[in-house]
Amino acid sequence: DGAEYVVFDIETTGLVNEYDELIEFGAIKIKNGSEVDRIDLFVKPVKGVPQHITNLTKITNEMVEDAPHIKPSLVQIKAWIGDAILIAHNGINFDLRFLNKKLEQHHLPLITNPLIDTMQLSRALNKDLVKHNLGVIARHHKIYYDEAVAHRADFDAAVLNDV
């Protein structure tokens, strides 16, 4: 009772946490079953947003050009999540690993919060599903999922919260 959790998603310039960059962090903070806060934070990448990522996420270089750089963004993200329980889809293998790699690269303390990975949960609970991406799971649970606005951290975090 009284647990606080943060449902989050990130968007990046690619899948390799060693070299690719964080460009968006979106999250919803829930306490006692109710939304108490939300954040959607753009991060300015050093190398810019590749065209194939813009095609997927609709995040353009113009959208991130005035955003803070990675280090202050990581400090803000860590402060915002605090000691809340984290919930992310593919969070163990991707989101948290990506964030922690960036924290490590910038000599900042890692995120050690407990994490509930909804992709792992779905694999355990929905054995009939062939795929377990967020869109499939949302539709499986009759939750609205719009591919046209998907792959934006704030939208995906809100859908995941509904799931």
Side-chain angles (χ1 to χ4, degrees):
D1 236 4
E4 185 172 76
Y5 62 93
V6 167
V7 183
F8 79 97
D9 187 47
I10 63 172
E11 300 303 333
T12 64
T13 60
L15 301 175
V16 183
N17 63 25
E18 186 76 36
Y19 308 107
D20 291 316
E21 299 179 78
L22 178 68
I23 54 174
E24 187 182 28
F25 175 84
I28 300 170
K29 193 175 285 181
I30 307 288
K31 190 165 177 77
N32 298 322
S34 297
E35 180 179 324
V36 293
D37 200 4
R38 85 173 36 209
I39 187 172
D40 185 31
L41 176 72
F42 282 125
V43 181
K44 183 175 184 157
V46 174
K47 295 178 270 194
V49 181
Q51 187 59 50
H52 71 279
I53 296 298
T54 296
N55 295 345
L56 178 68
T57 65
K58 314 290 187 281
I59 298 171
T60 65
N61 282 300
E62 293 72 33
M63 293 165 76
V64 297
E65 70 184 355
D66 295 327
H69 289 281
I70 185 70
K71 192 165 186 175
S73 298
L74 290 168
V75 170
Q76 181 180 354
I77 289 165
K78 271 202 55 100
W80 192 85
I81 64 174
D83 61 359
I85 298 163
L86 302 178
I87 300 176
H89 199 71
N90 200 23
I92 292 171
N93 291 324
F94 186 72
D95 301 70
L96 188 58
R97 191 173 283 171
F98 201 102
L99 287 173
N100 275 336
K101 174 55 79 175
K102 296 302 150 197
L103 287 160
E104 177 187 301
Q105 288 173 340
H106 292 279
H107 311 288
L108 294 167
L110 301 185
I111 297 168
T112 58
N113 304 36
L115 172 77
I116 297 168
D117 188 329
T118 54
M119 182 176 275
Q120 308 250 348
L121 277 177
S122 178
R123 286 185 175 137
L125 299 173
N126 302 310
K127 295 192 185 302
D128 54 317
L129 296 180
V130 176
K131 289 185 166 185
H132 295 273
N133 63 43
L134 186 55
V136 167
I137 292 167
R139 286 186 286 273
H140 179 73
H141 291 286
K142 313 272 187 283
I143 293 164
Y144 175 74
Y145 187 79
D146 184 349
E147 295 289 347
V149 284
H151 306 294
R152 282 297 308 280
D154 56 340
F155 176 82
D156 287 354
V159 169
L160 184 56
N161 184 56
D162 290 344
V163 169

